[in-house]
Amino acid sequence: MDALVATCPGALLGLPDLDRLREILERIQQILVMGGVALSALGALCFLGLWVVSFVRKPAAAASVRHPVFTRLVHGLAFVPAALSFVAGLGVVFAPLAPFVLKALAAAILVAALVWLLAVVAFWMGGTARDLHRVRRAVLLAGTPWYCLVVFLATYL
């Protein structure tokens, strides 16, 4: 009986074993982190996959192309997720910005999804070599929050 009391003092009082509960909760957290890393890696691969597939698209002749406003819009909008990813990176380094890390990454991912959809439309519409280059760069820039999220989840959670 003394050995039981020494190993588990709450056993006589009918208290549950909290160490086992703590182990279960830590295991659940590890599973969630692995799933989050896998999901963010899949998102990053979508951006990289679109970038790779975009090289199949051949540029159009300069005479048949309309005004390239749409590709400039997509390219300009792609800087927003990159900037928000930068803010999230600063939040990891500077303590006053720490509460904004996940918020900035979430906003960046939403804008990046919009840019990805617009980039798909821009590739479908076609354009000159310069227009396609602009959209390819936009896809890489818009993927920045996904790349950062993979690193953040793998190292900090």
Side-chain angles (χ1 to χ4, degrees):
M1 183 71 171
D2 291 330
L4 178 64
V5 171
T7 57
C8 186
L12 290 178
L13 300 174
L15 296 175
D17 185 16
L18 296 179
D19 290 334
R20 178 70 180 142
L21 183 62
R22 184 175 294 118
E23 290 173 8
I24 292 171
L25 290 175
E26 287 175 359
R27 183 68 182 146
I28 290 171
Q29 181 184 9
Q30 290 173 352
I31 291 170
L32 288 174
V33 168
M34 287 188 306
V37 170
L39 180 66
S40 56
L42 180 68
L45 286 176
C46 286
F47 280 88
L48 290 175
L50 177 63
W51 179 74
V52 169
V53 170
S54 72
F55 284 97
V56 174
R57 181 73 173 168
K58 298 294 179 203
S64 66
V65 176
R66 295 179 295 264
H67 202 268
V69 173
F70 188 69
T71 57
R72 288 183 182 156
L73 172 74
V74 172
H75 185 252
L77 192 60
F79 283 98
V80 175
L84 287 170
S85 299
F86 182 71
V87 169
L90 287 177
V92 171
V93 178
F94 297 114
L97 295 176
F100 301 110
V101 171
L102 290 178
K103 293 173 187 171
L105 279 176
I109 286 172
L110 288 176
V111 176
L114 175 68
V115 171
W116 191 83
L117 291 173
L118 292 175
V120 168
V121 170
F123 283 127
W124 181 68
M125 289 173 37
T128 63
R130 186 176 186 141
D131 292 336
L132 293 178
H133 175 73
R134 235 184 248 127
V135 178
R136 284 184 191 115
R137 187 180 321 152
V139 168
L140 287 178
L141 279 172
T144 304
W146 288 97
Y147 318 139
C148 293
L149 189 62
V150 171
V151 172
F152 178 78
L153 289 176
T155 57
Y156 289 107
L157 293 182

